[in-house]
Amino acid sequence: MLTDARLLELYDSQLGSRHLDLAARELRAQGAGFYTIGSAGHEGNAAVAAALRPTDPALLHYRSGAFYLERARQAPGTDPLRDVLLGLVAAASEPIAGGRHKVFGHPKLNVIPQTSTIASHLPRAVGVAFAVERAAKLGVACAWPHDSVVVCSFGDASANHSTATGALNTAAYCAHQGLPLPVLFVCEDNGIGISVRTPGGWIASYGSRLGMRHFTADGCDVASAYEAAAEAVEWVRRTRRPAFLHLRTVRLMGHAGSDAEVAYRSRAEIAADEERDPLTATARLLVARGVVTEDEVAALAEAKREEVRAIAREVASAARLETARAVMAPLAPSRPAAVAGEAVAAAHAARARPAEPVTLAQAINQTLADLLDHCPEMLVFGEDVARKGGVYGVTRGLLRRAGAGRVFDTLLDEQSILGLALGAGLSGLLPVPEIQYLAYLHNAVDQIRGEAATLSFFSSGQYRNPMVVRVAGYAYQKGFGGHFHNDNAVASLRDIPGLVVATPSRPDDAAAMLRTCVAAARADGRVCVFLEPIALYHTRDLHDEGDGEWLAPISAEHVPIGRARVYGSGDELTIVTFGNGLHMSLRVARRLGLRCRVLDLRWLAPLPVDDLLREATATGRVLVVDETRRSGGVSEGVLAALADAGFDGRVARVTSRDSFVPLGDAAAHVLLTEDEIEAAALDLVRGRP
């Protein structure tokens, strides 16, 4: 039951939110503000905040102003009106994003910043709910109390995005299997997405269609909204199962300040929504209950308006970010000494084994096993990774070694796999998810680009989602697969700010680099992608059948992020390569009889520029051997690095064609070959154009 005192508090939060929206428009008109998407009409979400605990993690819709203010009331020590206004003017002193974007977020309030308008935060919310329960099961620390409810709000239009439907499906999938997942999805349904109407009744049955417990309320009636939210929260907290709260709202003042609603809505429709204004409804309820008089309601509204406007005047001239360095500061936190210490400790903690040479797949497998022993919070998961041990056997035996709580199979949805990792990392676990093939990553890459990589940026490093995403990729598998199992497109990863992209070729490098990535995730909260060349998984030989020269023992060596490896010391030619290109280049180098050195980049982001320049200068001739595509491939970044540094030697490149990889022998027509490498090397050394 909503008491009179709590009703008055909710009205205060609703008033604060509305006047923040009005101040946003005024600041924009003055040229002092930069964001005008508001919460007007959605102020009923204050009731959802009231039904929760301040320790319950919240991933919020961008119309959650009243929720944010009400949550701040529950956890004193913040100045929410000032915080939001600082965000509107992009002030460097804004306490969550530091002027990088206007978001709702604060670590003291357990509000995780979200910038998405398309519900891309829903998979993460599922991951947080999963992590709360899994951490308790494993007996490891979690960022949230063991009985938390995770709340995730979003709009009715966003509910149709594949990311949202995938997350809702994953939640239902977990519930169907009896896995605890305490998440409350709150769909704030105002009936329109910018200008496109949501069909009547579409959201009404949404949760129940997936077998979730369904709750509904009029978001314009704060008492009704509170009762429904309280019932939903209690049910989720008690049963540890997902639920769906349909909160019917209205949208007032348009989508944003620049939106002229009259272009796509009739004046009658707009007026009808204004009649349902939740602030008016709450004021009427307060008067009807005798809590305040009509004059006192008006006085409260005016006092809040003056309070917000006074703060707005103060922050309008607040200092903003002034340098690129300041803007980029939280992108890629790096403490090389701490990472090295963590990686070396993991190597030394590994169980003793005979120093026998192993394949790339075996090296990754054994290193994962050792890291599971060393990191009690580490999880390994993905499609077919547990019982089967992976399509290529790379995770074989890990389920038996670490148990089903830490090594497990997921449903077939890469967005959900990565969302699970995002939530787990945010909550204190160390996720190492597997994407079965590189071609399968592309439909889910926004979980890395828009969610993982931005979290530290939009929280000034106060929130982190450490993770190491293992991806089987590249081409050259013999007699198998075509494009969907032989993908060489990495451009979508290389342009994500702050992302570490590792690509080992040799077994010893794979072990050391995997330890480094896990150490970087653990020590610095880094997001790492570990690209594994499928065609080299079980390769044993280099030059001749039976020579075993591609095998190597696992060592305790530490490989720093962004450091390359050099083979040979010749002074005629430097071959720069990575992945399968290393195997081909070493073979070509021996056949040529030239005085060559081969540089294995090992890291595609950040590129090992210092090592590249040193080895290029040593010979004055550089051949870039790039198995990815000519357009958007890795060679473009290598050539740019050489040009930027003023390298004045001779440079050439050989690449795969700008083509998808076809099935069977036809692949040889579009993939880079050893013959092409050899011809380009000879031309470069002999001075041919």
Side-chain angles (χ1 to χ4, degrees):
M1 176 68 180
L2 191 60
T3 66
D4 290 346
R6 287 298 284 128
L7 179 61
L8 193 59
E9 288 176 337
L10 292 182
Y11 185 56
D12 181 71
S13 295
Q14 291 180 311
L15 280 174
S17 179
R18 179 65 58 84
H19 286 292
L20 285 172
D21 290 348
L22 295 170
R25 307 291 175 96
E26 293 176 2
L27 288 165
R28 178 81 283 266
Q30 297 163 11
F34 303 94
Y35 191 92
T36 57
I37 297 178
S39 305
H42 285 244
E43 291 91 352
N45 55 38
V48 181
L52 292 156
R53 299 172 184 169
T55 53
D56 289 329
L59 298 89
L60 300 177
H61 188 227
Y62 57 86
R63 299 196 191 277
S64 297
F67 183 109
Y68 184 77
L69 297 180
E70 184 57 33
R71 170 61 66 91
R73 186 194 310 282
Q74 297 172 315
T78 61
D79 190 351
L81 292 174
R82 184 176 300 274
D83 292 349
V84 174
L85 287 164
L86 286 168
L88 292 172
V89 300
S93 57
E94 190 269 331
I96 186 66
R100 294 171 185 86
H101 196 57
K102 188 272 179 187
V103 297
F104 290 119
H106 204 298
K108 289 183 179 179
L109 304 180
N110 295 295
V111 175
I112 301 150
Q114 304 296 323
T115 62
S116 169
T117 60
I118 55 168
S120 67
H121 58 299
L122 270 71
R124 186 201 292 274
V126 173
V128 173
F130 175 88
V132 167
E133 294 294 325
R134 189 52 52 101
K137 178 178 180 179
L138 298 176
V140 299
C142 181
W144 329 107
H146 67 89
D147 62 346
S148 292
V149 168
V150 180
V151 64
C152 178
S153 59
F154 53 100
D156 50 291
S158 297
N160 298 299
H161 196 275
S162 63
T163 316
T165 57
L168 291 165
N169 178 74
T170 299
Y173 181 93
C174 290
H176 180 74
Q177 295 188 96
L179 294 174
L181 199 79
V183 59
L184 175 61
F185 296 105
V186 181
C187 184
E188 299 181 20
D189 178 10
N190 61 31
I192 195 166
I194 304 184
S195 66
V196 179
R197 287 172 172 77
T198 298
W202 178 244
I203 299 298
S205 62
Y206 216 92
S208 56
R209 284 196 307 241
L210 291 165
M212 288 185 199
R213 180 72 181 271
H214 191 272
F215 300 85
T216 187
D218 181 358
C220 299
D221 177 352
V222 72
S224 167
Y226 177 77
E227 290 178 9
E231 184 183 1
V233 168
E234 188 281 329
W235 188 86
V236 174
R237 201 180 304 279
R238 175 172 49 83
T239 66
R240 317 307 288 164
R241 292 172 63 84
F244 189 99
L245 171 59
H246 177 205
L247 202 63
R248 302 185 305 279
T249 68
V250 293
R251 189 190 72 188
L252 306 178
M253 297 166 57
H255 174 70
S258 59
D259 179 32
E261 282 191 297
V262 292
Y264 55 86
R265 299 183 77 193
S266 70
R267 295 187 182 278
E269 288 176 311
I270 295 172
D273 277 356
E274 290 173 349
E275 284 296 315
R276 295 185 59 212
D277 187 332
L279 266 67
T280 303
T282 304
R284 288 171 178 162
L285 183 58
L286 284 165
V287 172
R289 285 191 179 188
V291 180
V292 293
T293 65
E294 290 185 3
D295 288 343
E296 288 170 332
V297 164
L300 288 172
E302 179 61 21
K304 186 62 65 175
R305 183 179 78 91
E306 286 302 321
E307 180 184 5
V308 171
R309 293 186 75 183
I311 300 172
R313 287 192 293 269
E314 291 177 25
V315 305
S317 58
R320 296 166 187 157
L321 295 165
E322 296 182 347
T323 66
R325 183 175 183 178
V327 171
M328 298 168 64
L331 262 180
S334 179
R335 296 179 298 157
V339 173
E342 175 64 36
V344 169
H348 289 166
R351 60 175 178 168
R353 295 189 187 88
E356 60 184 28
V358 295
T359 64
L360 179 69
Q362 290 169 331
I364 295 170
N365 176 271
Q366 292 179 23
T367 305
L368 285 171
D370 293 339
L371 287 167
L372 282 164
D373 288 346
H374 180 65
C375 309
E377 77 279 21
M378 180 171 154
L379 307 176
V380 174
F381 54 89
E383 299 164 18
D384 303 302
V385 304
R387 294 187 182 279
K388 182 178 176 64
V391 173
Y392 297 94
V394 179
T395 55
R396 187 172 296 148
L398 299 183
L399 171 62
R400 182 174 62 254
R401 183 183 183 90
R406 300 179 63 201
V407 179
F408 51 90
D409 294 321
T410 65
L411 76 176
L412 198 155
D413 177 28
E414 285 73 25
Q415 290 186 127
S416 293
I417 292 170
L418 293 177
L420 176 61
L422 288 167
L426 174 67
S427 302
L429 300 177
L430 180 59
V432 184
E434 177 185 292
I435 301 298
Q436 199 165 83
Y437 289 101
L438 179 57
Y440 300 171
L441 174 67
H442 303 305
N443 70 66
V445 77
D446 187 59
Q447 288 295 295
I448 297 176
R449 178 190 304 278
E451 291 290 326
T454 62
L455 182 62
S456 181
F457 186 71
F458 289 128
S459 70
S460 302
Q462 296 170 89
Y463 282 112
R464 310 182 311 171
N465 36 220
M467 56 194 287
V468 181
V469 185
R470 292 182 45 251
V471 185
Y474 302 121
Y476 298 101
Q477 292 186 81
K478 301 299 182 183
F480 180 70
H483 161 68
F484 293 103
H485 303 93
N486 288 272
D487 186 14
N488 56 8
V490 299
S492 62
L493 293 171
R494 288 194 62 251
D495 76 343
I496 298 177
L499 184 68
V500 173
V501 182
T503 186
S505 301
R506 300 293 298 266
D508 46 351
D509 283 341
M513 293 168 69
L514 183 54
R515 284 196 299 267
T516 297
C517 287
V518 169
R522 227 180 176 201
D524 284 339
R526 296 296 291 270
V527 180
C528 304
V529 173
F530 199 74
L531 285 172
E532 302 166 7
I534 298 171
L536 297 177
Y537 269 150
H538 305 297
T539 298
R540 306 177 68 87
D541 306 324
L542 177 55
H543 298 293
D544 302 305
E545 186 175 352
D547 66 18
E549 291 189 27
W550 203 252
L551 303 174
I554 296 175
S555 70
E557 178 189 3
H558 169 57
V559 175
I561 292 172
R563 291 302 306 272
R565 179 175 179 177
V566 185
Y567 296 81
S569 56
D571 59 3
E572 286 189 290
L573 177 65
T574 299
I575 299 177
V576 178
T577 191
F578 62 94
N580 293 288
L582 177 63
H583 191 271
M584 293 190 288
S585 295
L586 290 174
R587 287 168 54 83
V588 169
R590 191 173 86 161
R591 288 204 305 269
L592 285 173
L594 299 173
R595 296 191 301 275
C596 292
R597 60 183 64 199
V598 178
L599 181 77
D600 179 10
L601 294 169
R602 298 196 294 194
W603 306 90
L604 303 187
L607 281 172
V609 175
D610 291 343
D611 294 336
L612 169 65
L613 295 175
R614 184 189 66 246
E615 299 306 319
T617 303
T619 66
R621 299 181 186 89
V622 176
L623 176 63
V624 185
V625 174
D626 179 5
E627 67 177 287
T628 64
R629 300 169 191 171
R630 192 167 187 82
S631 300
V634 176
S635 62
E636 291 182 346
V638 175
L639 295 179
L642 291 170
D644 288 347
F647 177 70
D648 59 1
R650 299 197 65 204
V651 179
R653 63 171 172 153
V654 284
T655 70
S656 292
R657 307 299 192 274
D658 286 344
S659 172
F660 299 110
V661 181
L663 187 65
D665 295 342
H669 300 308
V670 297
L671 293 175
L672 176 64
T673 67
E674 290 184 15
D675 288 344
E676 290 172 320
I677 299 170
E678 183 173 340
L682 289 172
D683 286 346
L684 193 59
V685 172
R686 293 169 180 170
R688 295 175 184 167

